[in-house]
Amino acid sequence: MYICLEGIDGSGKSTQIKLLEQWLYNCGHEVLRVFEPTDSKVGRLIREMLRNPHATDENFQRTLGLLFAADRTILMDKIIDAEVEGKVVISDRCFYSSIAYQNGAEWLSQINKFARKPDLVLLLDLEPETALMRCEGKDSFEDRSFLEKIRKKYLKLAKEEEFFVVNANNGINKVHEDIKRIVARRLGMCV
């Protein structure tokens, strides 16, 4: 199974993925944790570009959309191999991030057509003000109006694509319990 956690910056994805990985491991599952951007050369270039003060500008976002699609293509073999080995794959973001952040245009769907669609997407939803308080450091994406715009896109995507929306305003343990319940149902497990 391929599970993806999505959400705006500061929504708790990294924390919840670590907790989910440990819980699945404790339940006897082999797990592969992946993230976007990856550690590939393309992924490292993306990380560097994300620090640019103009990273939220429309043309810059188009460039990032292309780079994310390339990075994602590199990641697909790793995901497919893990699934063949019977592992549960959990990802910190997937192509839905590009649709939300890079303005959801049709061309993004086309350049990501080789990306494996997750079996389960969990959207960690919270208010941008809360997200900003959680964010470490300051970058172009840590702006209330920008995060509000992205949050609205994610909520629209969640409705269209039938994501599970998890209230990430709750404490870490409550969010983790909510995630466990959803994942357990999909894997046929008891919590």
Side-chain angles (χ1 to χ4, degrees), residues 88-140:
V88 176
V89 179
I90 50 177
S91 181
D92 185 335
R93 301 195 183 278
C94 66
F95 69 91
Y96 290 118
S97 283
S98 286
I99 293 171
Y101 278 85
Q102 281 88 44
N103 208 12
E106 180 60 33
W107 68 273
L108 282 168
S109 295
Q110 286 301 311
I111 64 172
N112 283 288
K113 68 182 180 183
F114 300 108
R116 163 99 161 67
K117 215 174 185 178
D119 300 303
L120 175 63
V121 180
L122 301 160
L123 174 62
L124 301 184
D125 179 51
L126 78 162
E127 298 292 329
E129 292 79 17
T130 305
L132 288 171
M133 287 189 288
R134 293 180 180 179
C135 288
E136 300 171 14
K138 181 76 175 137
D139 65 29
S140 302

Side-chain angles (χ1 to χ4, degrees), residues 56-72:
T56 59
D57 295 352
E58 193 171 331
N59 281 333
F60 207 100
Q61 283 294 305
R62 285 188 191 113
T63 302
L64 285 170
L66 292 165
L67 289 170
F68 268 109
D71 191 44
R72 203 167 280 129

